[in-house]
Amino acid sequence: GAVVSQHPSRVICKSGTSVKIECRSLDFQATTMFWYRQFPKQSLMLMATSNEGSKATYEQGVEKDKFLINHASLTLSTLTVTSAHPEDSSFYICSAGGDLRGYTFGSGTRLTVV
Amino acid sequence: AQSVTQPDIHITVSEGASLELRCNYSYGATPYLFWYVQSPGQGLQLLLKYFSGDTLVQGIKGFEAEFKRSQSSFNLRKPSVHWSDAAEYFCAVGAPGNQFYFGTGTSLTVIP
């Protein structure tokens, strides 16, 4: 149990375009999902907390207009990187689950903006 | 302030040797502690977690970790390392319904 599916695993996009990343909890309902970003050879940094049915909470320094988060159902949260630029190239990982099972992470999305 | 420190950026061990990865944390409430492993280009896989009870917890792939409250530590150990254990290891602290705080990771290299 406690499986989180993240899609796509890799995406390459042109500068100025938008990219949507999906995070699904497959066998449980997740009222809260978290989006992390990981730069090469660095740790994971929380970008935002996604709450079902309400606005996401963004960490300081994260542009909410650039990283749009939608958590429209109890099993799906999406992160849209708008007007992507090369500096947005990174590894994005979501996690879901707020109970004592501990957080389950998606497999991550490698975004490359060219 | 909440934080996790992994003092060792990179560790190299011989296959078959024992392993200990260090983790120290600072957390304002009762900590829930986790160890994750990440292979290159992959997501995070949970190795083990500690919530309460026995301070020595067993995880997958032969890993174990010991919670020492007095030292604010949660070190990961394995008696005999396999080549397939080469990966990045992250210690994390958090609580249900709240974000995780991750250490900067320890990269493990296993030599034949």
Side-chain angles (χ1 to χ4, degrees):
Chain A
V3 177
V4 174
S5 173
Q6 189 172 341
H7 178 81
S9 58
R10 294 177 182 273
V11 59
I12 301 173
C13 70
K14 292 185 177 180
S15 185
T17 63
S18 296
V19 173
K20 180 183 285 187
I21 303 170
E22 293 187 348
C23 181
R24 294 180 183 271
S25 57
L26 297 186
D27 52 358
F28 66 101
Q29 294 181 332
T31 56
T32 303
M33 292 186 177
F34 299 87
W35 288 95
Y36 293 84
R37 182 174 181 176
Q38 184 182 33
F39 291 103
K41 299 190 182 300
Q42 295 188 28
S43 188
L44 288 79
M45 299 299 294
L46 181 68
M47 297 177 64
T49 302
S50 171
N51 301 298
E52 188 269 335
S54 65
K55 292 183 178 180
T57 304
Y58 290 82
E59 295 300 300
Q60 190 173 10
V62 177
E63 300 176 60
K64 57 184 67 176
D65 293 332
K66 181 169 190 61
F67 298 100
L68 300 179
I69 291 173
N70 184 280
H71 195 157
S73 78
L74 288 171
T75 60
L76 175 64
S77 175
T78 61
L79 168 68
T80 301
V81 183
T82 63
S83 186
H85 288 92
E87 58 265 31
D88 298 325
S89 299
S90 190
F91 194 58
Y92 295 87
I93 305 178
C94 68
S95 73
D99 61 15
L100 291 181
R101 291 172 295 182
Y103 290 96
T104 300
F105 285 81
S107 55
T109 298
R110 171 72 61 193
L111 170 62
T112 303
V113 184
V114 297
Chain B
Q2 275 67 273
S3 67
V4 176
T5 302
Q6 292 180 248
D8 305 304
I9 297 174
H10 189 204
I11 285 182
T12 300
V13 299
S14 298
E15 190 169 15
S18 63
L19 171 71
E20 181 170 28
L21 303 182
R22 296 183 291 167
C23 172
N24 292 94
Y25 68 89
S26 174
Y27 198 69
T30 300
Y32 295 91
L33 296 155
F34 306 81
W35 274 100
Y36 288 88
V37 61
Q38 184 182 37
S39 297
Q42 302 296 312
L44 301 179
Q45 181 181 22
L46 179 66
L47 286 176
L48 48 78
K49 57 185 182 287
Y50 172 78
F51 293 146
S52 63
D54 193 345
T55 55
L56 183 64
V57 294
Q58 302 297 321
I60 62 172
K61 303 184 179 185
F63 286 93
E64 66 177 27
E66 186 172 13
F67 169 59
K68 293 184 177 180
R69 184 184 298 275
S70 61
Q71 299 178 18
S72 296
S73 69
F74 189 57
N75 295 347
L76 181 71
R77 299 194 294 250
K78 185 170 185 177
S80 177
V81 172
H82 188 262
W83 64 266
S84 60
D85 293 325
E88 189 84 14
Y89 291 81
F90 291 97
C91 180
V93 63
N98 294 285
Q99 70 169 85
F100 275 24
Y101 295 87
F102 286 87
T104 49
T106 297
S107 177
L108 174 65
T109 298
V110 181
I111 56 177

